[in-house]
Structure formats: C-alpha cells, structure tokens
Amino acid sequence: MATEVPRPRHRWFAATYDVMGRAGEKQMAPLRRRLLHDLHGDVLEVGCGTGASFEYYDWDYIETLEATEPDPFMARRAREKIASLDEDARARVRLTEAPAEALPFEDGRFDAVVSCLVLCTVSDLQRSLGEMRRVLKQGGELRLLEHVAGDGARRMVQGAVQPVYGWFGAGCQLTRRTEEAVREAGFELEVWERMRFTPLHPGFLGVARKAASP
Ligand SMILES: C[S@@+](CC[C@H](N)C(=O)[O-])C[C@H]1O[C@@H](n2cnc3c(N)ncnc32)[C@H](O)[C@@H]1O
C-alpha cells in the first residue's frame, strides 16, 4: 500500500508568496510564458501554489486545466485567482487539494503536465515523477521550470544553508538533482534554457516526454 504523504500547511509562506513573487516578476514572467507556451487540450498543473501561473496560459487553446495544491493556505489563494479569471477560462479550471505523490486522476488523462518550482518541495521526488508520468498521455509533455543542485562550491554552500533555508522556504530543497531524477523516472528530457534565479538557485526550463520504456 502506498505510504501516506505529509500534507504541507504553511500559512505565512502562503501569505507572503505573491508579495515576494512580485519582486521577482521581471525574471519570472517570461519564464512562465515560455513554460506554458503552446499548451493545449487537457492540462494538469501540479502544486499550483497561489495560482501565479494561471494568467500566463493561452486560454484559447486550453480545454480544461486541473490544478492541484496540497497546502490549504496556498489553495485558498489559488481559488481567489481562479475567481478573478474571466468567465470562460474560469469554467474550465478545477482545483483539487492533492499532493503530487498521489494524483487523483486516471492513467493517460492529460495532454500536458506542468511543474513550476514544485519538484524542489515534494516530499517524495521519484513517486511524484512516477505519478506525473502515469497521468500523461503517450506523446504528452511534462513542462518543467525547476531549480536544482549546483556543482562544486555552490553545492557546498547550498548544503550549508539548507537547514535554515528549508525552514523559511516551506521545505524547499536546494540540492535536488532533478534533471537526473526526471530521466530516471522514464522521461526523455530536453532542456530549453538554463538560468540562475539567484546564486543559490541554478535552474532549468524544459520539456520531458515519456521514453518508450521506463
Ligand atoms: C515554490 S511553490 C511554487 C508554486 C507555484 N507552482 C508557482 O509557480 O508559483 C511550491 C509549491 O509546491 C507545493 N507542494 C509542496 N509539497 C507538495 C507535494 N507533495 N505535491 C504537490 N505540491 C506540493 C507547495 O504547497 C507550494 O505551493
């Protein structure tokens, strides 16, 4: 039987997320746009947080957007964002409070799955990626914008600050080898762009497709 997934509850992180996000919007807006460009059909956004990406979807091409978010404080804000979308878009979005490790959707349901700054925080990285793979159609796309472990001295500093950083960052992990984990989960990963969100947050933007066999 699958083990129970801890449910995050971070009231203050949720309360400050959009305010902090506005400071980084100049960097994040084009990245979110690129992450979501050309998406169409049935899309799942995992760990949607406060719904910061909703405004960047091209709603002319999205048939349905299932958004998931396990933290009730983040989910409450995401619901407010959904309520502020225009009526036509709003009717196509549904939010479910669920973790990436146990997605409540049938196999092969989605044309695309989106993970934006989420794989750093999930409690079980491989299980989450396995679920994303399971709910994707063959030929579907896992779009990823994630920060990852650095190399050498950067990796050492990330490890040193992690205990304090993780507490303030609602469990966010600086030292995950996410690209490797994506490939190990049975995806072929195409990196479109590498960036540094901050000196401690090297990251990548790209797409992963199900490899022929895991
Ligand atoms: C840094 S925030 C990113 C939020 C949003 N994706 C964005 O682009 O702004 C990380 C999010 O992952 C969520 N999260 C934490 N554990 C999770 C899990 N096990 N499954 C899915 N999401 C999770 C957090 O609640 C939080 O909303």
Side-chain angles (χ1 to χ4, degrees):
M1 204 173 76
T3 44
E4 189 78 6
V5 182
R7 190 164 185 212
R9 293 178 67 85
H10 296 286
R11 186 190 293 270
W12 290 107
F13 187 73
T16 53
Y17 191 79
D18 285 341
V19 180
M20 304 293 275
R22 274 195 282 282
E25 199 174 334
K26 200 166 161 218
Q27 182 187 31
M28 280 303 291
L31 291 172
R32 286 189 195 275
R33 248 180 233 115
R34 185 136 192 245
L35 175 71
L36 304 176
H37 81 277
D38 282 350
L39 286 182
H40 59 271
D42 295 320
V43 176
L44 167 65
E45 183 179 335
V46 172
C48 70
T50 60
S53 284
F54 294 162
E55 64 181 287
Y56 298 97
Y57 285 92
D58 187 342
W59 290 101
D60 289 342
Y61 299 99
I62 302 291
E63 276 165 40
T64 63
L65 177 68
E66 292 279 0
T68 63
E69 171 52 54
D71 185 321
F73 299 108
M74 297 297 262
R76 185 161 65 81
R77 288 177 163 76
R79 276 193 201 95
E80 289 166 8
K81 294 254 179 33
I82 293 169
S84 72
L85 292 171
D86 75 39
E87 199 182 330
D88 186 43
R90 194 165 62 230
R92 282 176 275 152
V93 188
R94 193 172 67 153
L95 177 70
T96 308
E97 290 189 25
E101 292 87 343
L103 295 172
F105 306 109
E106 69 269 29
D107 298 1
R109 154 96 188 269
F110 296 102
D111 297 292
V113 175
V114 173
S115 175
C116 182
L117 306 176
V118 174
L119 293 176
C120 50
T121 307
V122 295
S123 39
D124 187 329
L125 179 57
Q126 284 306 337
R127 190 169 151 194
S128 300
L129 284 163
E131 280 291 90
M132 293 178 190
R133 192 176 189 284
R134 179 183 67 74
V135 300
L136 253 188
K137 287 180 184 162
Q138 195 63 43
E141 295 187 352
L142 170 58
R143 297 279 182 95
L144 295 159
L145 176 59
E146 298 289 347
H147 67 83
V148 297
D151 294 318
R154 193 183 311 278
R155 165 73 184 76
M156 282 171 63
V157 179
Q158 286 176 321
V161 301
Q162 178 60 50
V164 175
Y165 170 85
W167 190 84
F168 283 105
C172 177
Q173 304 282 321
L174 289 169
T175 56
R176 287 210 164 147
R177 301 221 171 267
T178 305
E179 289 178 48
E180 290 86 335
V182 169
R183 294 191 174 99
E184 277 163 27
F187 288 101
E188 280 162 11
L189 175 63
E190 186 187 333
V191 173
W192 288 335
E193 189 178 330
R194 293 189 194 279
M195 72 290 297
R196 279 203 195 125
F197 298 102
T198 77
L200 285 182
H201 296 79
F204 74 95
L205 167 67
V207 61
R209 297 184 181 83
K210 284 184 181 189
S213 55

